[in-house]
Amino acid sequence: MKVLITGGCGFIGSNLVRYCLERYSDWEIINLDLLTYAGNLENTEGLEDAYPGRYTLVKGDIADRVLVADLFDRYSIDLILNLAAESHVDRSIKDASAFMRTNVVGTQILLDAAIRHGTGRFVQISTDEVYGSLGKAGKFTEDLPLEPNSPYSASKASADLLVRAYIKTYGLDAIVTRCSNNYGPYQFPEKLIPLMVINAYNNKELPVYGDGRNVRDWIHVKDHCRGICMVALDGKPGEIYNMGGRAEKENIEIVRAILAYMGKDEGLIRFVKDRPGHDFRYAMDFSKIESQLGWRPEIDFEEGLRSTVDWYLGHKTWWEKIISGEYMRYYERMYGNR
Ligand code: NAD
Ligand code: TYD
Protein backbone atom coordinates (compact mmCIF):
# COMPACT_ATOMS: atom_id res chain seq x y z
CA MET A 1 0.00 0.00 0.00
CA LYS A 2 1.33 3.48 -0.93
CA VAL A 3 0.73 5.95 1.87
CA LEU A 4 1.22 9.71 1.51
CA ILE A 5 2.07 11.31 4.84
CA THR A 6 2.22 15.10 4.68
CA GLY A 7 4.24 16.98 7.28
CA GLY A 8 6.30 13.87 7.98
CA CYS A 9 9.37 15.85 9.06
CA GLY A 10 7.52 17.56 11.91
CA PHE A 11 6.89 16.31 15.43
CA ILE A 12 3.91 13.98 15.04
CA GLY A 13 4.63 13.33 11.36
CA SER A 14 8.14 11.99 11.96
CA ASN A 15 6.93 9.79 14.81
CA LEU A 16 4.15 8.55 12.53
CA VAL A 17 6.45 7.82 9.59
CA ARG A 18 8.67 5.74 11.87
CA TYR A 19 5.70 4.00 13.48
CA CYS A 20 4.20 3.05 10.10
CA LEU A 21 7.48 1.75 8.68
CA GLU A 22 8.06 -0.41 11.77
CA ARG A 23 4.50 -1.64 12.17
CA TYR A 24 3.28 -2.21 8.59
CA SER A 25 5.87 -4.00 6.47
CA ASP A 26 3.74 -3.74 3.31
CA TRP A 27 3.41 0.06 3.54
CA GLU A 28 5.50 2.33 1.35
CA ILE A 29 5.64 5.86 2.72
CA ILE A 30 5.90 9.03 0.64
CA ASN A 31 6.54 12.00 2.91
CA LEU A 32 5.58 15.39 1.43
CA ASP A 33 7.02 18.15 3.59
CA LEU A 34 7.90 21.76 2.89
CA LEU A 35 10.59 21.75 5.58
CA THR A 36 9.40 24.97 7.21
CA TYR A 37 11.03 26.10 10.46
CA ALA A 38 9.19 23.19 12.15
CA GLY A 39 10.26 20.52 9.67
CA ASN A 40 13.62 18.98 10.39
CA LEU A 41 15.46 16.47 8.21
CA GLU A 42 17.15 15.08 11.30
CA ASN A 43 13.75 13.88 12.54
CA THR A 44 13.69 11.24 9.79
CA GLU A 45 17.42 10.68 9.42
CA GLY A 46 18.45 7.16 8.41
CA LEU A 47 14.98 5.95 7.36
CA GLU A 48 15.87 5.58 3.65
CA ASP A 49 18.68 3.17 4.59
CA ALA A 50 16.80 1.40 7.37
CA TYR A 51 13.81 0.71 5.11
CA PRO A 52 15.20 0.39 1.56
CA GLY A 53 12.62 1.21 -1.13
CA ARG A 54 9.92 1.95 1.44
CA TYR A 55 10.54 5.59 2.34
CA THR A 56 10.73 8.62 0.03
CA LEU A 57 10.89 12.26 1.02
CA VAL A 58 9.48 14.82 -1.40
CA LYS A 59 10.26 18.41 -0.43
CA GLY A 60 7.27 20.52 -1.39
CA ASP A 61 4.21 22.51 -0.45
CA ILE A 62 0.77 20.92 -0.04
CA ALA A 63 -0.65 24.24 -1.25
CA ASP A 64 1.26 23.97 -4.55
CA ARG A 65 -1.37 22.55 -6.90
CA VAL A 66 1.06 21.72 -9.71
CA LEU A 67 3.49 19.92 -7.45
CA VAL A 68 0.71 17.96 -5.75
CA ALA A 69 -0.82 16.94 -9.11
CA ASP A 70 2.59 15.81 -10.33
CA LEU A 71 3.17 13.78 -7.17
CA PHE A 72 -0.20 12.04 -7.51
CA ASP A 73 0.63 11.27 -11.18
CA ARG A 74 3.96 9.77 -10.21
CA TYR A 75 2.80 7.60 -7.31
CA SER A 76 -0.47 5.79 -7.21
CA ILE A 77 -1.47 6.70 -3.67
CA ASP A 78 -3.87 4.50 -1.70
CA LEU A 79 -4.07 6.46 1.54
CA ILE A 80 -3.41 10.08 2.57
CA LEU A 81 -2.61 11.02 6.16
CA ASN A 82 -2.65 14.83 6.19
CA LEU A 83 -0.56 16.24 9.02
CA ALA A 84 1.16 19.14 7.24
CA ALA A 85 0.20 22.30 9.06
CA GLU A 86 1.28 25.45 10.75
CA SER A 87 0.72 24.26 14.29
CA HIS A 88 1.66 26.89 16.89
CA VAL A 89 -1.12 29.02 18.42
CA ASP A 90 1.22 31.86 19.48
CA ARG A 91 2.58 32.24 15.94
CA SER A 92 -0.97 32.30 14.55
CA ILE A 93 -1.75 35.22 16.87
CA LYS A 94 1.21 37.18 15.47
CA ASP A 95 0.31 36.41 11.82
CA ALA A 96 -2.36 34.03 10.56
CA SER A 97 -1.47 34.15 6.84
CA ALA A 98 0.63 30.98 6.64
CA PHE A 99 -2.03 29.15 8.68
CA MET A 100 -4.72 29.95 6.14
CA ARG A 101 -2.53 29.00 3.20
CA THR A 102 -1.26 25.69 4.51
CA ASN A 103 -4.02 24.51 6.80
CA VAL A 104 -6.99 25.56 4.66
CA VAL A 105 -5.86 25.95 1.03
CA GLY A 106 -3.32 23.14 1.35
CA THR A 107 -6.00 20.76 2.62
CA GLN A 108 -8.34 21.76 -0.21
CA ILE A 109 -5.64 21.05 -2.79
CA LEU A 110 -4.99 17.61 -1.31
CA LEU A 111 -8.73 16.89 -1.23
CA ASP A 112 -9.01 17.85 -4.91
CA ALA A 113 -6.10 15.56 -5.75
CA ALA A 114 -7.71 12.70 -3.81
CA ILE A 115 -10.94 13.11 -5.78
CA ARG A 116 -9.22 13.41 -9.14
CA HIS A 117 -7.02 10.38 -8.60
CA GLY A 118 -9.58 8.21 -6.82
CA THR A 119 -7.40 7.82 -3.73
CA GLY A 120 -8.76 5.12 -1.43
CA ARG A 121 -8.96 7.07 1.81
CA PHE A 122 -8.15 10.52 3.20
CA VAL A 123 -7.47 10.97 6.92
CA GLN A 124 -7.39 14.56 8.16
CA ILE A 125 -5.39 14.97 11.37
CA SER A 126 -7.22 17.62 13.37
CA THR A 127 -7.20 18.82 16.92
CA ASP A 128 -9.37 19.19 20.03
CA GLU A 129 -8.84 22.95 19.74
CA VAL A 130 -11.54 23.18 17.05
CA TYR A 131 -14.18 22.66 19.78
CA GLY A 132 -13.11 25.80 21.64
CA SER A 133 -12.72 25.94 25.38
CA LEU A 134 -14.29 24.04 28.28
CA GLY A 135 -15.05 25.28 31.78
CA LYS A 136 -14.12 23.19 34.80
CA ALA A 137 -16.53 20.36 33.86
CA GLY A 138 -17.42 18.38 30.75
CA LYS A 139 -15.57 16.82 27.84
CA PHE A 140 -15.50 17.31 24.08
CA THR A 141 -17.59 14.84 22.08
CA GLU A 142 -17.56 14.56 18.29
CA ASP A 143 -21.05 16.03 17.86
CA LEU A 144 -20.28 19.38 19.50
CA PRO A 145 -20.36 22.54 17.37
CA LEU A 146 -16.99 23.95 16.34
CA GLU A 147 -16.08 27.08 18.29
CA PRO A 148 -12.40 27.78 17.56
CA ASN A 149 -10.86 30.72 19.42
CA SER A 150 -7.42 31.19 17.86
CA PRO A 151 -6.45 31.75 14.23
CA TYR A 152 -4.73 28.34 14.40
CA SER A 153 -7.82 26.49 15.59
CA ALA A 154 -10.02 28.46 13.16
CA SER A 155 -7.82 27.28 10.29
CA LYS A 156 -8.01 23.66 11.50
CA ALA A 157 -11.81 23.91 11.92
CA SER A 158 -12.04 25.29 8.37
CA ALA A 159 -10.12 22.30 7.07
CA ASP A 160 -12.43 19.92 8.98
CA LEU A 161 -15.43 21.57 7.34
CA LEU A 162 -13.86 21.27 3.90
CA VAL A 163 -13.34 17.55 4.51
CA ARG A 164 -16.99 17.25 5.51
CA ALA A 165 -18.06 19.08 2.34
CA TYR A 166 -15.97 16.77 0.11
CA ILE A 167 -17.52 13.73 1.79
CA LYS A 168 -21.06 15.04 1.27
CA THR A 169 -20.56 16.56 -2.18
CA TYR A 170 -18.19 14.14 -3.88
CA GLY A 171 -18.60 11.00 -1.79
CA LEU A 172 -14.93 11.09 -0.79
CA ASP A 173 -13.88 8.37 1.65
CA ALA A 174 -12.50 10.62 4.35
CA ILE A 175 -12.23 10.62 8.14
CA VAL A 176 -11.27 13.34 10.61
CA THR A 177 -9.32 12.58 13.79
CA ARG A 178 -9.23 15.13 16.60
CA CYS A 179 -6.57 14.64 19.22
CA SER A 180 -5.53 16.44 22.38
CA ASN A 181 -2.07 17.87 23.20
CA ASN A 182 0.74 15.51 22.19
CA TYR A 183 4.11 15.19 23.88
CA GLY A 184 7.16 13.05 23.15
CA PRO A 185 10.42 13.05 21.15
CA TYR A 186 11.09 15.49 18.28
CA GLN A 187 8.62 18.18 19.36
CA PHE A 188 9.75 21.64 18.31
CA PRO A 189 10.91 23.53 21.41
CA GLU A 190 8.37 26.35 21.04
CA LYS A 191 5.75 24.02 22.62
CA LEU A 192 5.25 23.79 26.38
CA ILE A 193 7.05 20.59 27.40
CA PRO A 194 10.27 20.78 25.33
CA LEU A 195 10.52 24.53 25.95
CA MET A 196 10.38 24.04 29.72
CA VAL A 197 12.86 21.14 29.72
CA ILE A 198 15.39 23.07 27.65
CA ASN A 199 15.02 26.29 29.66
CA ALA A 200 15.35 24.36 32.92
CA TYR A 201 18.48 22.64 31.60
CA ASN A 202 19.95 26.06 30.72
CA ASN A 203 18.84 27.55 34.07
CA LYS A 204 16.73 30.03 32.10
CA GLU A 205 13.34 31.35 33.29
CA LEU A 206 10.30 29.15 32.60
CA PRO A 207 7.59 31.46 31.15
CA VAL A 208 4.17 30.31 32.38
CA TYR A 209 1.23 32.13 30.80
CA GLY A 210 -1.29 33.77 33.14
CA ASP A 211 -1.69 31.91 36.43
CA GLY A 212 -0.68 28.54 34.96
CA ARG A 213 -4.08 27.01 35.80
CA ASN A 214 -5.12 26.29 32.18
CA VAL A 215 -5.75 22.60 31.62
CA ARG A 216 -4.68 20.41 28.70
CA ASP A 217 -5.31 16.68 28.19
CA TRP A 218 -1.89 15.20 27.38
CA ILE A 219 -1.27 12.18 25.18
CA HIS A 220 1.99 10.50 24.22
CA VAL A 221 2.64 10.90 20.49
CA LYS A 222 3.03 7.14 20.08
CA ASP A 223 -0.52 6.53 21.32
CA HIS A 224 -1.75 9.14 18.83
CA CYS A 225 0.16 7.50 15.95
CA ARG A 226 -1.33 4.10 16.79
CA GLY A 227 -4.80 5.66 16.78
CA ILE A 228 -4.28 7.37 13.40
CA CYS A 229 -3.31 4.02 11.84
CA MET A 230 -6.27 2.21 13.40
CA VAL A 231 -8.61 4.85 12.03
CA ALA A 232 -6.94 4.69 8.60
CA LEU A 233 -7.38 0.91 8.46
CA ASP A 234 -10.67 0.30 10.25
CA GLY A 235 -12.45 3.65 10.72
CA LYS A 236 -15.86 4.17 9.16
CA PRO A 237 -15.92 6.53 6.15
CA GLY A 238 -17.29 9.98 6.94
CA GLU A 239 -16.75 9.70 10.70
CA ILE A 240 -14.93 11.91 13.19
CA TYR A 241 -12.89 10.26 15.95
CA ASN A 242 -11.67 12.01 19.11
CA MET A 243 -8.48 10.84 20.83
CA GLY A 244 -7.25 11.92 24.23
CA GLY A 245 -4.73 10.91 26.85
CA ARG A 246 -6.94 10.69 29.92
CA ALA A 247 -4.32 12.92 31.56
CA GLU A 248 -5.71 16.35 32.34
CA LYS A 249 -3.08 18.59 33.89
CA GLU A 250 -2.75 22.24 34.76
CA ASN A 251 0.24 23.80 32.99
CA ILE A 252 1.84 24.68 36.30
CA GLU A 253 1.64 21.03 37.44
CA ILE A 254 3.59 19.97 34.38
CA VAL A 255 6.20 22.67 34.82
CA ARG A 256 6.67 21.69 38.48
CA ALA A 257 6.89 17.99 37.58
CA ILE A 258 9.62 18.74 35.01
CA LEU A 259 11.60 20.84 37.49
CA ALA A 260 11.28 18.19 40.20
CA TYR A 261 12.41 15.39 37.88
CA MET A 262 15.37 17.45 36.69
CA GLY A 263 16.30 18.45 40.25
CA LYS A 264 15.86 22.16 39.44
CA ASP A 265 14.55 24.99 41.58
CA GLU A 266 10.97 26.30 41.27
CA GLY A 267 12.45 29.80 41.48
CA LEU A 268 13.03 29.46 37.73
CA ILE A 269 9.28 29.77 37.11
CA ARG A 270 8.15 33.17 35.85
CA PHE A 271 4.47 33.99 35.37
CA VAL A 272 4.15 36.11 32.24
CA LYS A 273 1.38 37.96 30.42
CA ASP A 274 -1.35 35.56 29.33
CA ARG A 275 -1.90 34.45 25.73
CA PRO A 276 -4.77 36.46 24.16
CA GLY A 277 -7.91 34.32 23.87
CA HIS A 278 -6.20 31.57 25.90
CA ASP A 279 -8.50 28.52 25.99
CA PHE A 280 -9.05 27.52 29.61
CA ARG A 281 -9.47 23.78 29.37
CA TYR A 282 -9.47 20.91 26.86
CA ALA A 283 -10.64 17.38 27.71
CA MET A 284 -11.53 14.59 25.34
CA ASP A 285 -14.30 12.04 25.44
CA PHE A 286 -12.84 9.25 23.30
CA SER A 287 -15.49 6.63 24.01
CA LYS A 288 -16.45 6.46 20.32
CA ILE A 289 -13.06 5.27 19.04
CA GLU A 290 -12.76 3.06 22.13
CA SER A 291 -16.03 1.25 21.48
CA GLN A 292 -15.79 1.16 17.65
CA LEU A 293 -12.09 0.41 17.15
CA GLY A 294 -10.80 -0.67 20.54
CA TRP A 295 -8.30 2.21 20.79
CA ARG A 296 -7.33 3.74 24.11
CA PRO A 297 -4.18 5.53 25.31
CA GLU A 298 -1.66 3.12 26.82
CA ILE A 299 1.26 5.25 27.94
CA ASP A 300 0.99 6.50 31.52
CA PHE A 301 1.55 10.28 31.66
CA GLU A 302 4.05 10.37 34.53
CA GLU A 303 6.13 7.63 32.92
CA GLY A 304 5.79 9.20 29.46
CA LEU A 305 6.83 12.62 30.78
CA ARG A 306 9.94 11.19 32.45
CA SER A 307 11.00 9.33 29.30
CA THR A 308 10.34 12.48 27.24
CA VAL A 309 12.50 14.63 29.55
CA ASP A 310 15.21 11.95 29.29
CA TRP A 311 14.93 12.05 25.49
CA TYR A 312 15.54 15.82 25.35
CA LEU A 313 18.42 15.56 27.81
CA GLY A 314 19.90 12.77 25.69
CA HIS A 315 19.47 14.67 22.40
CA LYS A 316 21.10 17.97 23.22
CA THR A 317 22.66 18.42 19.79
CA TRP A 318 19.21 18.02 18.18
CA TRP A 319 17.73 21.00 20.03
CA GLU A 320 20.92 23.02 20.35
CA LYS A 321 21.01 23.38 16.57
CA ILE A 322 17.41 24.58 16.61
CA ILE A 323 17.74 27.11 19.39
CA SER A 324 20.98 28.56 18.04
CA GLY A 325 19.39 29.94 14.84
CA GLU A 326 16.27 31.70 13.65
CA TYR A 327 14.27 30.24 16.52
CA MET A 328 16.25 32.34 19.00
CA ARG A 329 15.07 35.52 17.24
CA TYR A 330 11.47 34.23 17.47
CA TYR A 331 11.99 33.56 21.18
CA GLU A 332 13.17 37.13 21.74
CA ARG A 333 10.14 38.53 19.87
CA MET A 334 7.73 36.27 21.77
CA TYR A 335 9.07 36.56 25.31
CA GLY A 336 11.35 39.65 25.23
CA ASN A 337 8.84 42.19 26.58
CA ARG A 338 6.31 39.85 28.11
P1 NAD B 1 4.75 20.50 13.51
O1 NAD B 1 4.64 21.99 13.43
O2 NAD B 1 5.77 19.90 14.41
O3 NAD B 1 5.02 19.90 12.04
C1 NAD B 1 4.37 20.37 10.91
C2 NAD B 1 5.09 19.81 9.68
O4 NAD B 1 4.37 20.24 8.52
C3 NAD B 1 6.52 20.32 9.53
O5 NAD B 1 7.37 19.26 9.17
C4 NAD B 1 6.42 21.34 8.41
O6 NAD B 1 7.62 21.47 7.64
C5 NAD B 1 5.29 20.76 7.57
N1 NAD B 1 4.61 21.76 6.75
C6 NAD B 1 4.17 22.99 7.14
N2 NAD B 1 3.60 23.64 6.10
C7 NAD B 1 3.66 22.79 5.04
C8 NAD B 1 3.22 22.86 3.69
N3 NAD B 1 2.61 23.97 3.23
N4 NAD B 1 3.42 21.80 2.89
C9 NAD B 1 4.04 20.69 3.34
N5 NAD B 1 4.50 20.56 4.61
C10 NAD B 1 4.30 21.59 5.46
O7 NAD B 1 3.29 20.00 13.86
P2 NAD B 1 2.82 18.73 14.74
O8 NAD B 1 2.72 19.12 16.15
O9 NAD B 1 3.62 17.56 14.34
O10 NAD B 1 1.32 18.57 14.20
C11 NAD B 1 1.03 17.76 13.07
C12 NAD B 1 -0.46 17.79 12.78
O11 NAD B 1 -1.17 17.30 13.92
C13 NAD B 1 -1.00 19.19 12.53
O12 NAD B 1 -1.98 19.11 11.52
C14 NAD B 1 -1.65 19.60 13.85
O13 NAD B 1 -2.71 20.50 13.65
C15 NAD B 1 -2.14 18.25 14.34
N6 NAD B 1 -2.26 18.11 15.81
C16 NAD B 1 -1.20 18.42 16.61
C17 NAD B 1 -1.31 18.25 17.99
C18 NAD B 1 -0.15 18.56 18.92
O14 NAD B 1 -0.32 18.51 20.13
N7 NAD B 1 1.05 18.82 18.42
C19 NAD B 1 -2.50 17.77 18.54
C20 NAD B 1 -3.56 17.45 17.69
C21 NAD B 1 -3.42 17.62 16.32
P1 TYD C 1 1.26 24.74 23.64
O1 TYD C 1 2.32 23.72 23.82
O2 TYD C 1 1.58 25.97 22.84
O3 TYD C 1 -0.02 23.98 23.05
P2 TYD C 1 -1.54 24.52 22.82
O4 TYD C 1 -1.56 25.98 22.92
O5 TYD C 1 -1.80 24.05 21.43
O6 TYD C 1 -2.37 23.83 23.86
O7 TYD C 1 0.77 25.23 25.06
C1 TYD C 1 0.25 24.33 26.02
C2 TYD C 1 -0.22 25.14 27.21
O8 TYD C 1 0.93 25.73 27.83
C3 TYD C 1 -1.14 26.30 26.83
O9 TYD C 1 -2.13 26.44 27.83
C4 TYD C 1 -0.23 27.51 26.83
C5 TYD C 1 0.82 27.16 27.88
N1 TYD C 1 2.18 27.73 27.65
C6 TYD C 1 2.82 28.46 28.65
O10 TYD C 1 2.28 28.65 29.75
N2 TYD C 1 4.06 28.95 28.40
C7 TYD C 1 4.70 28.77 27.20
O11 TYD C 1 5.83 29.29 27.02
C8 TYD C 1 4.03 28.02 26.18
C9 TYD C 1 4.69 27.78 24.84
C10 TYD C 1 2.77 27.50 26.45
Side-chain angles (χ1 to χ4, degrees):
M1 182 153 86
K2 280 201 173 52
V3 181
L4 174 65
I5 296 183
T6 68
C9 293
F11 163 47
I12 302 173
S14 60
N15 279 282
L16 181 65
V17 166
R18 202 170 284 104
Y19 180 84
C20 293
L21 288 168
E22 273 168 20
R23 175 85 176 72
Y24 302 104
S25 56
D26 58 336
W27 285 20
E28 185 187 326
I29 308 292
I30 297 120
N31 172 10
L32 173 60
D33 197 299
L34 185 57
L35 296 175
T36 66
Y37 79 93
N40 187 341
L41 277 177
E42 291 183 18
N43 295 2
T44 51
E45 204 168 21
L47 292 181
E48 283 96 345
D49 294 338
Y51 299 94
R54 291 186 51 214
Y55 173 71
T56 310
L57 171 68
V58 177
K59 180 181 180 304
D61 187 348
I62 60 165
D64 180 339
R65 190 173 284 280
V66 174
L67 180 138
V68 169
D70 179 59
L71 186 135
F72 275 75
D73 284 340
R74 239 181 317 140
Y75 303 95
S76 149
I77 287 159
D78 302 297
L79 168 67
I80 302 170
L81 307 176
N82 182 29
L83 288 91
E86 289 292 333
S87 69
H88 191 41
V89 174
D90 293 323
R91 286 184 190 254
S92 80
I93 294 168
K94 294 253 180 253
D95 182 359
S97 315
F99 290 75
M100 297 306 132
R101 182 181 149 77
T102 291
N103 302 3
V104 185
V105 177
T107 301
Q108 179 230 333
I109 285 171
L110 289 174
L111 287 165
D112 283 343
I115 297 286
R116 202 164 311 114
H117 291 265
T119 304
R121 170 160 281 186
F122 189 108
V123 182
Q124 172 68 7
I125 312 308
S126 186
T127 162
D128 58 357
E129 306 195 23
V130 298
Y131 295 118
S133 180
L134 290 166
K136 283 195 185 329
K139 291 194 173 183
F140 294 131
T141 50
E142 289 87 351
D143 53 1
L144 283 177
L146 303 187
E147 293 177 344
N149 294 317
S150 72
Y152 162 66
S153 53
S155 70
K156 293 297 290 185
S158 305
D160 288 14
L161 294 179
L162 274 174
V163 173
R164 176 191 159 89
Y166 276 66
I167 294 166
K168 299 282 178 193
T169 306
Y170 305 107
L172 181 69
D173 178 341
I175 301 179
V176 174
T177 65
R178 295 185 180 141
C179 190
S180 61
N181 284 62
N182 284 222
Y183 70 95
Y186 299 108
Q187 187 166 31
F188 196 84
E190 66 191 349
K191 303 282 168 65
L192 182 76
I193 290 178
L195 184 132
M196 296 301 167
V197 174
I198 292 168
N199 281 16
Y201 178 85
N202 288 325
N203 295 311
K204 214 171 143 179
E205 283 178 341
L206 275 53
V208 174
Y209 298 167
D211 62 3
R213 306 296 296 274
N214 299 63
V215 175
R216 298 292 182 263
D217 173 5
W218 293 92
I219 180 172
H220 194 279
V221 63
K222 210 166 184 176
D223 276 331
H224 185 194
C225 292
R226 187 168 44 82
I228 292 172
C229 292
M230 288 171 83
V231 165
L233 289 171
D234 298 319
K236 285 196 200 150
E239 294 288 327
I240 296 166
Y241 292 99
N242 281 354
M243 283 181 257
R246 210 191 269 120
E248 281 185 53
K249 306 283 170 200
E250 290 183 347
N251 295 334
I252 190 69
E253 273 182 83
I254 295 198
V255 171
R256 290 204 171 109
I258 291 171
L259 287 172
Y261 183 59
M262 292 175 67
K264 296 280 182 171
D265 197 281
E266 288 197 7
L268 284 172
I269 296 173
R270 187 160 74 89
F271 292 96
V272 300
K273 193 159 162 262
D274 209 352
R275 171 188 280 172
H278 195 175
D279 286 335
F280 173 64
R281 175 172 166 260
Y282 304 141
M284 285 307 235
D285 178 333
F286 54 85
S287 51
K288 177 172 168 181
I289 189 171
E290 193 166 26
S291 63
Q292 282 192 15
L293 305 181
W295 177 91
R296 67 191 63 81
E298 286 173 354
I299 299 173
D300 168 73
F301 179 74
E302 276 69 30
E303 231 175 271
L305 183 64
R306 285 195 293 273
S307 67
T308 299
V309 173
D310 289 343
W311 189 88
Y312 288 98
L313 297 180
H315 290 76
K316 248 180 87 197
T317 47
W318 180 84
W319 52 261
E320 268 175 351
K321 275 191 208 160
I322 295 171
I323 67 170
S324 61
E326 169 58 28
Y327 173 64
M328 230 28 237
R329 287 186 283 281
Y330 160 83
Y331 194 90
E332 268 313 304
R333 283 199 304 277
M334 187 56 70
Y335 297 97
N337 300 313
R338 201 154 181 158

